[in-house]
């Protein structure tokens, strides 16, 4: 009966793995960023900036148009008309629009890969 504790011939000739430094391990552990993911990130930033800018422009302009106070929502809820048409509320909406434009362009300016 063969002894199971004795190493076989293949086990005797297996090379031992070389000792590597920890600096190369950490560099090889970080995955390489592919071109597809870079372009996808660029596209998402561009889309975010466009949505922020378009929404911001709408929020700056729409509260001051006559259609703002004469819409179907206010026909169903007539109690909202004084609130929606008040200058302070319109100013808040325009301020949020300016803030939205600023956030979008700030994201575009501070973009880095």
């Amino acid at each position: 009966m063969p002894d199971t504790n004795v190493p076989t011939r293949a086990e005797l000739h297996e090379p031992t793995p070389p000792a590597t430094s920890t600096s190369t391990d950490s560099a090889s552990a970080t995955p390489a960023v592919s071109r597809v993911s870079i372009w996808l990130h660029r596209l998402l930033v561009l889309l975010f900036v466009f949505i922020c800018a378009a929404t911001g422009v709408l929020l700056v302009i729409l509260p001051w148009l006559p259609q703002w106070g004469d819409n179907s929502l206010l026909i169903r809820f007539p109690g909202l008309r004084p609130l929606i048409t008040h200058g302070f509320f319109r100013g808040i909406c325009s301020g949020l629009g300016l803030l939205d434009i600023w956030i979008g362009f700030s994201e575009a300016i501070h973009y880095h890969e």
Side-chain angles (χ1 to χ4, degrees):
M1 186 166 207
D3 189 9
T4 57
N5 292 333
V6 177
T8 62
R9 183 175 215 126
E11 292 174 347
L12 289 175
H13 295 292
E14 287 181 11
T16 57
T20 58
S21 66
T22 57
S23 63
T24 58
D25 288 343
S26 64
S28 65
T30 58
V33 179
S34 68
R35 287 186 176 192
V36 174
S37 64
I38 290 174
W39 279 103
L40 182 63
H41 189 262
R42 288 177 183 167
L43 182 66
L44 289 175
V45 168
L46 180 68
L47 183 66
F48 179 75
V49 169
F50 176 73
I51 289 173
C52 283
T55 306
V57 167
L58 286 176
L59 281 172
V60 168
I61 294 173
L62 282 180
W64 305 105
L65 295 178
Q67 292 85 5
W68 181 259
D70 301 327
N71 59 39
S72 61
L73 178 68
L74 294 179
I75 292 172
R76 296 180 98 198
F77 304 104
L80 286 178
R81 183 180 300 268
L83 175 69
I84 299 287
T85 58
H86 195 272
F88 183 75
F89 187 79
R90 290 179 178 192
I92 288 175
C93 291
S94 293
L96 286 175
L98 290 174
L99 182 66
D100 201 21
I101 292 170
W102 181 62
I103 288 171
F105 285 115
S106 174
E107 184 70 26
I109 291 170
H110 293 88
Y111 170 74
H112 59 84
E113 294 179 4

